[in-house]
C-alpha cells in the first residue's frame, strides 16, 4: 500500500478527482485574472474613462469655471447643433478627409515602393532602411518646425527653385498650396514607418513561389499582384487602419505649420477641437468636435470590418 492510496484520515482510499479538478480550475482562473487585471485597469483608466468623460463634456457647458464650481449644466445636443451650424466645421471636415485619404494612399504606394527597393541587394541596402527611419523618430513639432522654415517664402526650397528659374511660391501662406504642403509634410513624416513595416512583411513572401511564377513567365507586375500583395495584405490592412485613425486626429503638424490658415484653408476637426478647448476654453464644444471625430473613426472601422469579412468570405 502506497501513500497515494491513503486518505487524509490515514485510511486506504482514492483522492477525489472532482475536487482536484475544481481546485486546479480555480487556480487557473485566479492566474488568468491576475494576468488580465493590469490590462483591464489600464483599459478602464486610460480609455474608457477619458472616452466617457469626453461624451459627458460634449453634452454640457463645461468651462474653466467648472473646475472650481463643479457645475456643468446639461445641454443635450446643443453643442453638436452649435458646431454643425458653423460653416468652418464643414470646411474642416473636408480638409480632414482630404488629408487622410491622400496621405494614406500616397504613403501606401511610396512605402511599398521603398520596401520593394530595399528588398533588393545594392550598395547601402543594409543601412539605408535604418537611415530613413530617423525622420519618423522625430517629434511631430520638430518635423513641422523644420518644414515650416524650409517652405517659408525666403526658405531654402524657394532659394533652390529660384536659382534654376522656377517661379517660387509662399507655400504655407497661399490658400492654393497650403493644404498640399501639409499633406507633403504628413507623408514625409510617416513614410519611413510604412517602408519599415512593409519591408519586414515582404520577408514573409515565399521565395519559391516567386521563382516558380518567374519561371512560368509571370512578369514583375503580375508577381506583385498575384503573390506579394495577397501575402502581405493583412499587414497592409492594419497599417491602413492605424494611419487613418492617426491622420484623422492630426493637430500638431497643422498647428505648427499653418495654425489652420490661411483663410481656414488647412483647418481640421482636430484643430477646431483644440481651439475650442484650449484657446476659447469652451470644453463642451471641444468635446463635441472630438465626438464628431470619434463617429467618423467608428464609421471607418465598420466599413473596414465589413470589407474584411467579405474578402475572407470570397477567399
Amino acid at each position: 500500500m502506497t501513500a497515494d492510496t491513503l486518505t487524509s484520515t490515514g485510511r486506504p482510499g482514492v483522492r477525489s478527482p472532482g475536487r482536484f479538478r475544481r481546485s486546479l480550475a480555480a487556480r487557473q482562473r485566479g492566474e488568468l485574472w491576475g494576468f488580465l487585471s493590469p490590462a483591464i485597469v489600464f483599459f478602464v483608466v486610460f480609455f474608457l474613462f477619458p472616452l466617457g468623460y469626453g461624451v459627458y463634456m460634449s453634452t454640457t457647458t463645461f468651462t474653466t469655471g467648472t473646475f472650481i464650481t463643479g457645475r456643468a449644466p446639461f445641454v443635450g445636443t446643443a453643442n453638436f447643433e452649435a458646431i454643425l451650424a458653423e460653416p468652418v466645421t464643414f470646411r474642416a471636415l473636408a480638409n480632414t478627409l482630404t488629408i487622410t485619404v491622400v496621405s494614406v494612399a500616397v504613403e501606401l504606394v511610396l512605402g511599398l515602393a521603398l520596401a520593394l527597393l530595399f528588398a533588393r541587394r545594392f550598395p547601402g541596402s543594409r543601412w539605408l532602411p535604418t537611415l530613413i527611419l530617423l525622420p519618423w523618430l522625430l517629434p511631430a513639432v520638430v518635423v513641422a518646425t523644420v518644414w515650416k522654415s524650409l517652405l517659408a517664402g525666403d526658405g531654402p526650397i524657394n532659394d533652390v527653385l529660384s536659382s534654376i528659374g522656377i517661379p517660387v511660391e509662399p507655400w504655407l501662406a497661399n490658400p492654393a498650396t497650403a493644404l498640399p504642403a501639409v499633406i507633403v509634410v504628413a507623408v514625409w513624416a510617416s513614410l519611413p514607418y510604412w517602408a519599415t513595416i512593409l519591408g519586414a512583411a515582404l520577408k514573409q513572401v515565399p521565395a519559391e513561389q516567386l521563382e516558380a511564377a518567374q519561371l512560368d513567365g509571370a512578369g514583375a507586375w503580375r508577381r506583385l499582384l498575384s503573390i506579394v500583395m495577397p501575402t502581405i495584405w493583412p499587414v497592409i490592412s492594419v497599417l491602413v487602419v492605424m494611419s487613418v485613425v492617426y491622420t484623422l486626429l492630426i493637430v500638431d503638424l497643422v498647428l505648427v505649420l499653418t495654425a489652420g490658415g490661411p483663410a481656414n484653408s488647412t483647418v481640421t476637426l482636430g484643430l477646431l477641437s483644440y481651439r475650442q478647448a484650449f484657446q476659447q476654453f469652451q470644453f463642451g464644444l471641444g468635446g463635441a468636435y472630438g465626438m464628431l471625430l470619434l463617429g467618423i473613426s467608428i464609421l471607418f472601422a465598420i466599413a473596414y470590418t465589413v470589407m474584411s469579412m467579405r474578402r475572407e468570405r470570397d477567399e
Side-chain angles (χ1 to χ4, degrees), residues 19 44 98 100 109 116 127-128 134 139 167 214 230 233 237 263 267 291 308 310:
R19 182 180 303 174
V44 171
T98 300
T100 301
V109 174
L116 291 171
W127 54 268
L128 273 178
L134 295 178
Q214 187 174 8
W233 180 253
S237 61
V267 69
M291 291 303 103
S308 297
R310 288 180 178 177

Side-chain angles (χ1 to χ4, degrees), residues 218-227 229:
W221 186 252
R222 183 65 177 176
R223 296 197 301 271
L224 175 65
L225 295 180
S226 301
I227 300 176
M229 293 297 291

Side-chain angles (χ1 to χ4, degrees), residues 147-170:
W147 273 97
K148 186 175 183 179
S149 63
L150 292 175
L151 294 170
D154 57 350
I157 291 180
N158 277 341
D159 289 343
V160 173
L161 294 178
S162 61
S163 65
I164 58 178
I166 298 178
V168 298
E169 288 282 348

